[in-house]
Amino acid sequence: MNMVPSPADAPTGRAALQVPARVAAVIDGEPQWQGEVLPVVDPFREEVVAELVESAADTVSRAVAAADRAFREGAWPRLPVEERQSVLRRVADLIDREAAALAALECLNTGIPLRQLDLGQIRRSACNFRFFADYLGQAVGEAWHQTPGVTTVVLRRPAGVAALIGPWNAPLALTSMKVAAALAFGNTCVVKPAEQTPLTAWRLLELLHEAGVPPGTVNLVQGRGSVSGAALVGDPRLARVSFTGGTVAGRAVMAAAAASLVPATMELGGKSANLVFADADLDQAMDAALLGIFSNNGQQCLAGSRLLLEERIAGDFLAEFARRAGRLALGDPFLPTTDLGPLGSRVHQQRVLAHLRGALADGCELLAGGPEAAVPTAGCFVAPTVLRASDSRLAICQEEVFGPVATVMTFRTLDEACRLAADSRFGLVAYAWSRNVDTLSRLEAELRVGTLWQNLPMTRELRAPFGGFGESGVGREGGRACEAFYTEETTVSRATGPRPPLRRLGL
Ligand code: NAD
């Protein structure tokens, strides 16, 4: 593996950094500085870079009250579509204007290589706002006129206060999707970023206000899931909960929402199969397989973490895959030469290393990386690891590791490929590489996954639904899916012409 030195004078992109000293809840546009103070850490230098003021239950309650008031009395839910669209487009423009600073902030806080943020996640955050602005202008309604004298129309109205909870692996990209969708359909919201990565959400709130989102429409709470998160999802004034995170927390959040009969979407974990057949374009499949598991430091819900290879090509493919995994550059995420930065935190690094030790104890063959591989001494690094497994029931093939760790198994027949791919309690995505249309059609029919990419690396189509089967989640995000989720329908039937006389009662 290559380790990238980080000389003090290297042009690292840190020049764009503007780090807030403290972040806190924001209610009605006002920061709330009371509360327990937690450190915000740079996982590369393992330094405290900012402080987070955690929102206790009463702060969370005031945030929900502000959103509730803004929903019942405020301007946002009542704005004409054109005005809402232009505010959302302004938000997108401001994200573009601030892209370098936002990318640097996200890089500092997550350890994700700047190169991947700059053109990827931060641009995507701007796209989220533009996408929903455009969608809004094209949304269609329903009306029925078939019954003579009766016209029925369906009113779609904003649902109310949405709790929007985000994870730490792609903070701005994922949270901005929720905020853009909730706002587009006229809702107000309370956003809770992950406690480890609160910095870009703080900045987003400033940009939302600058763009013209009225204070109180989007409120922010901060802190741990067990403190501010639990207080938020237990609030009966919510109309919607949208959660992205792990399956364990997702269960707790869904149970809390159910207590108030609040609809909730869950974007949860994954353990996705990447199937490579002998007839595929193997060069492309190779590049995509490496990206699929090693981009974003391996911390992606949609990672292709289970590489399934047709036996005929497995030997050469695997040797090359392991060789290239071993050549990835680990180091300072600000350097343009870095492929993998540190994992999100020391705690998470230890969890990933424990998975690796367990896999070796279970008899997996180590082809690259591993728990003892040399990594930069500072920072929470895990070497890109490739493990050959003999049984897909092993923990390493079943549990979401959420790090740069690929397991590899081989198959001889399409039946066997389908069985291996389906052997998971998750069902977020799958990747399939083959030139045979029958093979691809069979996989379409068999795999119970939210998204199937055929001869493509991960490619998000915002118009299409995204979400998972099984333990990967409940509900979908995307154009129409978000419209359905963030609105309530009222059916209005009205007399519009002569009708047969009514049955007359009580004469
Ligand atoms: P996590 O579940 O620990 O935390 C996610 C968020 O939920 C954080 O903001 C956290 O503070 C909050 N939270 C935790 N417990 C809570 C509770 N009881 N009530 C309310 N809020 C609570 O997840 P994470 O470790 O931050 O993120 C990694 C996980 O997210 C992985 O499993 C990954 O696959 C998943 N993920 C899924 C998608 C997707 O679209 N399906 C996208 C990204 C990440």
Side-chain angles (χ1 to χ4, degrees):
M1 161 201 340
N2 296 344
M3 284 184 238
V4 183
S6 178
D9 56 353
T12 64
R14 284 180 192 267
L17 267 176
Q18 299 157 26
V19 189
R22 263 192 173 198
V23 298
V26 179
I27 301 176
D28 281 328
E30 295 299 324
Q32 311 288 312
W33 298 116
Q34 302 77 34
E36 190 176 334
V37 174
L38 305 175
V40 179
V41 175
D42 159 3
F44 175 60
R45 293 188 170 166
E46 293 193 78
E47 290 170 357
V48 175
V49 292
E51 289 178 333
L52 171 148
V53 180
E54 187 164 56
S55 314
D58 69 310
T59 307
V60 174
S61 176
R62 285 190 294 110
V64 178
D68 188 40
R69 207 167 35 248
F71 184 71
R72 284 183 291 101
E73 301 163 13
W76 186 259
R78 291 158 191 85
L79 277 187
V81 163
E82 293 73 19
E83 286 179 40
R84 242 186 281 155
Q85 284 179 301
S86 63
V87 174
L88 294 175
R89 291 195 177 111
R90 266 200 304 276
V91 177
D93 292 344
L94 291 176
I95 293 175
D96 281 341
R97 186 193 75 190
E98 298 294 311
L102 286 166
L105 207 51
E106 200 84 304
C107 178
L108 179 79
N109 201 180
T110 61
I112 297 163
L114 186 65
R115 198 164 37 119
Q116 296 173 27
L117 291 164
D118 221 0
L119 294 171
Q121 294 186 22
I122 304 301
R123 298 286 169 204
R124 155 79 195 281
S125 305
C127 276
N128 288 337
F129 284 93
R130 269 190 205 106
F131 171 78
F132 279 106
D134 292 346
Y135 183 94
L136 203 53
Q138 300 297 319
V140 292
E142 291 171 71
W144 282 273
H145 314 282
Q146 288 94 331
T147 305
V150 179
T151 293
T152 295
V153 294
V154 179
L155 303 182
R156 248 183 207 289
R157 35 184 47 170
V161 178
L164 309 177
I165 301 177
W168 50 260
N169 64 312
L172 190 65
L174 297 175
T175 305
S176 61
M177 172 88 179
K178 297 181 189 303
V179 175
L183 285 180
F185 300 110
N187 300 278
T188 63
C189 53
V190 179
V191 179
K192 196 202 89 61
E195 58 274 31
Q196 301 90 340
T197 54
L199 299 183
T200 45
W202 170 261
R203 189 74 190 104
L204 175 65
L205 220 73
E206 292 173 343
L207 298 179
L208 289 167
H209 291 146
E210 185 180 339
V213 175
T217 308
V218 181
N219 303 276
L220 185 64
V221 297
Q222 302 281 8
R224 289 164 288 187
S226 55
V227 180
S228 53
L232 178 58
V233 295
D235 195 303
R237 290 167 292 185
L238 299 179
R240 295 290 184 272
V241 172
S242 174
F243 175 86
T244 298
T247 300
V248 173
R251 278 186 217 283
V253 169
M254 193 142 183
S260 312
L261 296 179
V262 175
T265 54
M266 300 281 129
E267 299 283 343
L268 307 178
K271 188 75 184 177
S272 299
N274 184 0
L275 298 120
V276 183
F277 291 81
D279 63 4
D281 178 331
L282 295 177
D283 287 343
Q284 279 201 36
M286 175 68 67
D287 289 338
L290 288 157
L291 275 174
I293 185 60
F294 298 124
S295 55
N296 219 55
N297 300 341
Q299 300 165 146
Q300 307 197 75
C301 56
L302 37 65
S305 50
R306 291 187 296 140
L307 186 56
L308 303 177
L309 303 176
E310 188 166 351
E311 203 162 277
R312 281 193 285 148
I313 48 112
D316 289 349
F317 194 94
L318 193 46
E320 179 66 0
F321 182 75
R323 186 188 71 77
R324 286 178 59 181
R327 285 174 49 85
L328 294 172
L330 270 64
D332 184 343
F334 277 92
L335 286 174
T337 42
T338 295
D339 296 311
L340 262 105
L343 297 197
S345 67
R346 188 56 79 179
V347 174
H348 184 53
Q349 177 212 35
Q350 292 305 316
R351 206 183 299 141
V352 173
L353 291 175
H355 276 293
L356 298 187
R357 291 192 196 99
L360 295 179
D362 282 341
C364 288
E365 184 189 350
L366 185 62
L367 301 176
E372 311 301 336
V375 291
T377 44
C380 315
F381 285 91
V382 170
T385 296
V386 182
L387 291 161
R388 188 167 184 146
S390 55
D391 181 352
S392 85
R393 294 273 91 205
L394 292 180
I396 195 71
C397 300
Q398 292 293 323
E399 304 297 327
E400 184 185 41
V401 174
F402 218 56
V405 179
T407 62
V408 186
M409 293 190 69
T410 57
F411 59 85
R412 285 206 191 89
T413 62
L414 183 53
D415 282 347
E416 204 185 342
C418 288
R419 258 197 319 278
L420 281 174
D423 187 14
S424 175
R425 57 184 200 280
F426 295 106
L428 192 59
V429 307
Y431 306 79
W433 297 86
S434 169
R435 289 190 171 101
N436 184 328
V437 107
D438 293 341
T439 301
L440 297 174
S441 304
R442 169 89 186 275
L443 293 171
E444 259 166 50
E446 295 250 342
L447 299 185
R448 296 184 59 77
V449 293
T451 301
L452 173 58
W453 282 298
Q454 300 184 341
N455 299 317
L456 267 184
M458 50 187 77
T459 307
R460 184 76 186 267
E461 164 60 83
L462 289 180
R463 283 162 292 207
F466 182 85
F469 282 61
E471 293 196 11
S472 288
V474 176
R476 297 289 183 267
E477 284 186 338
R480 267 181 295 160
C482 285
E483 182 180 17
F485 181 67
Y486 288 107
T487 56
E488 285 284 10
E489 292 166 318
T490 300
T491 297
V492 179
S493 291
R494 72 171 82 98
T496 48
R499 294 179 33 74
L502 295 178
R503 199 153 58 90
R504 305 180 71 196
L505 298 177
L507 284 176

